[in-house]
Amino acid sequence: MTTVRRAVLTLPAAPLGPDNPLPALRAPARAGAHAVDARTLAGLPRDMARGIGRAPLRSLLPVPLRDGYGRDRVPTDLDTIVIENDRLRVTVLPGLGGRIHSLHHKPTGRELVHRNPVLQPAAFALNGAWFAGGVEWNIGATGHGALSCSPLHAATVRAPDGGPMLRLWEWERLRDLPFQVDLWLPEDSDFLYVGVRIRNPHERPAPVSWWSNTAVPEDRRILAPADAAWHHGYERGLDRVPVPADDTGTDRTYPLNSGHAADWFYDLPDGRRRWIAALDADGTGLVQTSTDALRGRKLFVWGTGRGGRRWQEWLTEPGAPGYAEIQAGLARTQLEHLELPGEAEFSWLEAYGPLAADPAAALGDDWTAARTDVERALDGALPRTAVDAAYTAWRERAADAAPETVLAAGSGWGALEVLRGGYELPGTPFPESTLGPEQEPWRALLRTGVLPPPAKGAGPGAPLVSAPWRDMLETAPAGPSTEYHLGIAQWHAGDRAQAVRSWERGLRGADASWPLLYCLAVADREEGHPERAAERFAEAFADHADHAGHAGHADHDGSAGGGTVAAALGREAVTALLAIGRTDRARQVWTRLPEEARGRGAFRLLEARILLAEGRPDAARAVFDEGFEVADLGEGAETLGELWARLTDAPLPDAYEFRMRPGP
C-alpha cells in the first residue's frame, strides 16, 4: 500500500542566512541572461513574441532578495516527506520549495533523477538562493522561482483512488497567485502522478509562467517528440534549429556534446503526446509525460567548457557527477508568459517514472526510429489514455478535497490575502492561524486603516505592493513608514515620479532615514543620475551606521543596528561610488563596514576593485592570489574575469572561471 510519512534527511548544507533587508526595487539580476535582442524578437512568430513581451518583471517586489548564504557546509537535518509504494520511493523537501530530492525505483535500485549530495545555495533563483538537483516547481516568471528555498504548506489528502496523497501549496507573491502541487503513487504504480493547479482569484488577468524542472545525469541521451527546437544561449538570440543534429552535424541530444551552456526548447507538434526522456547507454532512464496543457519541453546543458564545469562543481562538490536539466512548461519556451484570465485556472497532470527502450533504436542515428521506439515503450508503460483519465479523476474527485493531516507550514502571506480578499479556494486553505510577525502590521492596516510604525530600532518591515494594498496606503494617515511603503507600491506600479515624492515626504519626519534614502538612491540610478545615486547610497550607509552606533551593537538580525543592513548598504554604496570614480569615498565606506562583512568573498572582490582604482594593481592581484569565493555570484556573471584581465595577461584561474558564453 502507498504511504506518506515524515522523515529526516541529513546533508552537508550551507545555511540560507538572513534575507537582504533592502527592498528589491530592481529587475531580477538574471533577467539579462534570458533576454532576447530586438532583431531576433522581430523575426519570431507573432504569438511567441507576444508571450516574450508579456509583463516582464520590473522588480522583485514584494519578494526579498535572498543573498545571506555562504559556502561553508555543515551536516544539517532536513525535514522530508516520503511517498512510497512497492515500486517507488519519493523524497520531498517541503521546507525548500517542495523539491523532490530523490525518485528511487525499488525493483531496479536506480535513482531516476540527479540527487545532489550537498545543499549549496547559489544565485540562480529569481530572488537569489537556489540549489541544484531533483525535481523543482517553478512558478512566477522566467527562471527558477522565488520559492526555490522557501517553505510550502503540506498536508495529506485523499488521492483519486482513495489512497494517501501529498498536497503542497502556497501563495506565489510575484504574480499574486495561489497554486497547488498534488503528488501520489497509485498502488503498484511505477509512475509518480503530479496534479498541478494555478488559480487566479482576481478579476484582472495575470501573467503566468510554469516550468517543472528535473535534474538528470548528463551522460544521457535526451529525447522528445520533435524535429526542431528553439535554441537560446547567452548571446540573447533565439533560433529555430533542427533536432538532433545542428548545422555542424553535432548531435545536441547528448548533453556532453555541447561546449557551452544553452537551452533547447523542443518544438512539439500540435496533437502529439507530450513527453521527454533521459536514457543511458542501456536505453533505460527517466521519462516525464503530461496532459496536453503542459505544452513545452526543454533541455538545458552546462556544456563542457571551463565555465560550465566550474558551475557544476560550484553547485555540488568536487568529483560529483554532472547533470543536465529536462523541463516541462506551459509555453513553448521559458521566455514566454501565458495570460490567465480573472477567476480562472490552469491545471494539468504530470507523470514521472522509469522507462526501458531498445538501446539500438533509442540511441541510434535514425532520429525518427529513436523517437518512435521511446514513444512505443512509453505507451506500453503508461498509455496516454491512462494519463488523461488520471487527470480527470484528480480534477473531479481530489483537487478540491480538504487537507487532512497537516505536515508542514508555509508562509502567512496567503492567509493575509484571503483575509483581505475573502477568496474561496477549495483544497488550499490559508488559515488565519498561519499569520506571523511579518503580516501583523498589514493586518492592522486592514482592520484599522492605519499602518503601525516599526518598533524603535527595527527595520521598516516587509512591503506589499498590489493595487488593493496600495489603495489602503494612499488613504492611511501619513508618516515616514507609510510613505516608505506607499512609495514602494507606487514604484512597483510603474509610477516612479510619485514614488519619489512619497519617499521625499517620508524623509521630513523620519528618525532613521536610511530606508528612504536607499529607495531614492535606487530611483536616481534607474533614472540615469549615478552621481546623486552614489551620494545617497553613501548617506544611507552613514545614517544607518550612526543609528547602529547609538544603539551600541552590530548584530545580524536585520534591525536598524544589524550587521546585515550595514553590509547590504555598504555593498551598494561602494559599488556606486566606484562607478563614478569616487575611490576615496568608497574606501571610507569600506573601512566602516563590519569586520565580518569585509571577510566575505563579495567584499573581498570589492576590496580588489578599490585597490585597482587606487592605482595598486599588485595589491589587487594579491587578493586573487589569496583566494576568495563570491557566494552569490550571479548566473552568467563575468565580473571576475573582467577584473582579472585588468590586472594581468595571465590566464584566468579555474577557481574564478564562471563565464558561460563562448570565448577565450
Side-chain angles (χ1 to χ4, degrees):
M1 294 185 62
T2 300
T3 60
V4 177
R5 57 183 171 85
R6 291 189 182 96
V8 174
L9 173 70
T10 302
L11 286 179
L16 285 171
D19 290 345
N20 191 305
L22 308 177
L25 300 174
R26 284 165 285 186
R30 299 181 74 244
H34 296 284
V36 176
D37 63 74
R39 179 178 297 180
T40 298
L41 194 65
L44 296 176
R46 184 173 300 176
D47 61 333
M48 182 181 288
R50 186 165 55 248
I52 292 173
R54 178 175 286 122
L57 291 178
R58 292 190 294 264
S59 76
L60 283 172
L61 295 168
V63 172
L65 185 65
R66 310 200 73 174
D67 61 358
Y69 52 87
R71 301 273 308 164
D72 295 327
R73 296 187 286 267
V74 296
T76 304
D77 290 340
L78 303 173
D79 291 331
T80 68
I81 299 171
V82 177
I83 314 167
E84 188 167 11
N85 66 4
D86 287 341
R87 312 290 295 177
L88 286 174
R89 182 169 60 248
V90 185
T91 303
V92 179
L93 302 174
L96 293 164
R99 180 82 58 100
I100 294 177
H101 174 71
S102 170
L103 187 60
H104 179 78
H105 188 232
K106 296 160 77 172
T108 61
R110 292 174 61 96
E111 178 60 56
L112 299 180
V113 300
H114 170 73
R115 184 173 57 190
N116 198 334
V118 305
L119 198 162
Q120 176 56 62
F124 278 76
L126 289 166
N127 62 332
W130 171 86
F131 64 103
V135 185
E136 61 178 298
W137 320 111
N138 294 304
I139 178 174
T142 298
H144 298 284
L147 292 165
S148 293
C149 289
S150 297
L152 304 188
H153 298 282
T156 57
V157 187
R158 289 294 103 189
D161 60 3
M165 178 171 75
L166 172 63
R167 173 162 299 155
L168 305 166
W169 74 100
E170 244 305 354
W171 198 283
E172 202 288 313
R173 301 180 66 208
L174 288 175
R175 300 303 194 184
D176 204 20
L177 302 174
F179 72 98
Q180 72 189 76
V181 180
D182 289 353
L183 304 98
W184 77 100
L185 288 172
E187 190 173 351
D188 297 325
S189 173
D190 277 312
F191 282 83
L192 171 70
Y193 288 173
V194 181
V196 183
R197 176 165 62 173
I198 304 169
R199 286 189 275 202
N200 181 4
H202 313 294
E203 294 181 355
R204 55 172 172 77
V208 170
S209 172
W210 179 280
W211 285 82
S212 303
N213 180 9
T214 304
V216 295
E218 64 182 353
D219 58 346
R220 300 289 191 266
R221 189 182 203 187
I222 310 303
L223 299 102
D227 292 314
W230 294 92
H231 170 257
H232 180 260
Y234 286 80
E235 299 84 33
R236 299 166 65 93
L238 187 63
D239 305 304
R240 197 170 187 270
V241 298
V243 173
D246 61 16
D247 55 8
T248 69
T250 303
D251 189 337
R252 300 299 183 183
T253 63
Y254 290 91
L256 290 174
N257 282 351
S258 293
H260 301 281
D263 303 318
W264 278 270
F265 300 101
Y266 294 110
D267 197 357
L268 275 60
D270 291 339
R272 293 293 299 271
R273 185 176 185 180
R274 313 300 193 195
W275 59 267
I276 189 167
L279 305 182
D280 63 15
D282 296 327
T284 58
L286 172 76
V287 66
Q288 186 272 0
T289 188
S290 71
T291 49
D292 289 351
L294 202 64
R295 176 182 185 179
R297 292 299 185 273
K298 168 190 168 181
L299 165 64
F300 167 77
V301 300
W302 286 105
T304 57
R306 292 175 69 211
R309 304 329 293 173
R310 179 63 175 131
W311 275 116
Q312 291 259 26
E313 181 182 79
W314 185 255
L315 295 170
T316 178
E317 60 183 3
Y323 74 94
E325 294 173 356
I326 57 173
Q327 302 189 24
L330 287 171
R332 278 174 298 187
T333 75
Q334 203 171 20
L335 311 181
E336 301 166 74
H337 296 76
L338 303 186
E339 183 174 271
L340 178 57
E343 301 179 343
E345 68 175 50
F346 290 143
S347 63
W348 63 91
L349 185 125
E350 306 178 43
Y352 296 79
L355 191 72
D358 176 5
L363 307 180
D365 294 334
D366 187 331
W367 179 242
T368 300
R371 284 186 351 224
T372 301
D373 187 74
V374 172
E375 194 153 290
R376 174 199 56 77
L378 175 58
D379 288 341
L382 185 66
R384 184 177 187 177
T385 53
V387 175
D388 292 339
Y391 167 74
T392 300
W394 168 73
R395 189 63 193 84
E396 293 179 353
R397 301 201 296 266
D400 288 343
E404 297 176 356
T405 303
V406 174
L407 300 175
S411 77
W413 295 113
L416 186 68
E417 292 301 330
V418 169
L419 192 64
R420 183 199 59 75
Y423 303 121
E424 296 290 336
L425 299 169
T428 55
F430 293 95
E432 200 167 342
S433 60
T434 60
L435 292 170
E438 283 191 308
Q439 292 84 42
E440 281 305 322
W442 298 101
R443 179 159 66 167
L445 175 64
L446 186 62
R447 288 178 170 175
T448 69
V450 178
L451 183 70
K456 187 173 179 60
L464 284 174
V465 296
S466 66
W469 292 108
R470 185 174 72 249
D471 292 343
M472 280 185 269
L473 289 167
E474 287 176 345
T475 58
S481 178
T482 303
E483 297 287 7
Y484 166 81
H485 284 287
L486 175 58
I488 290 175
Q490 291 165 334
W491 180 270
H492 176 264
D495 192 351
R496 295 189 169 187
Q498 190 59 55
V500 168
R501 285 191 285 271
S502 295
W503 292 326
E504 288 175 340
R505 285 195 304 268
L507 276 176
R508 296 169 192 163
D511 175 33
S513 58
W514 63 264
L516 294 149
L517 287 168
Y518 168 77
C519 293
L520 289 167
V522 173
D524 284 334
R525 182 157 59 190
E526 295 293 298
E527 296 302 319
H529 305 292
E531 292 83 5
R532 193 166 66 202
E535 288 300 321
R536 277 181 161 158
F537 279 128
E539 189 179 350
F541 175 80
D543 179 77
H544 175 268
D546 290 343
H547 281 82
H550 294 155
H553 67 283
D555 54 36
H556 302 274
D557 63 2
S559 69
T564 305
V565 178
L569 287 172
R571 190 175 181 181
E572 294 277 7
V574 171
T575 302
L577 289 165
L578 287 174
I580 63 167
R582 291 301 307 274
T583 308
D584 54 339
R585 291 286 304 280
R587 172 62 73 181
Q588 291 170 11
V589 172
W590 168 264
T591 59
R592 295 190 70 183
L593 281 167
E595 183 178 354
E596 184 274 336
R598 290 201 301 267
R600 293 184 221 155
F603 293 89
R604 294 283 284 158
L605 176 59
L606 278 181
E607 182 183 20
R609 292 182 58 195
I610 293 172
L611 289 166
L612 180 60
E614 291 173 334
R616 302 164 62 190
D618 291 343
R621 168 67 186 268
V623 174
F624 277 85
D625 293 341
E626 291 167 12
F628 62 89
E629 293 183 323
V630 181
D632 63 336
L633 195 68
E635 176 184 2
E638 301 182 354
T639 307
L640 295 173
E642 291 170 353
L643 183 56
W644 176 266
R646 295 175 62 192
L647 299 174
T648 176
D649 293 330
L652 181 66
D654 287 343
Y656 302 118
E657 176 58 275
F658 292 93
R659 292 171 292 189
M660 298 174 73
R661 293 187 298 173

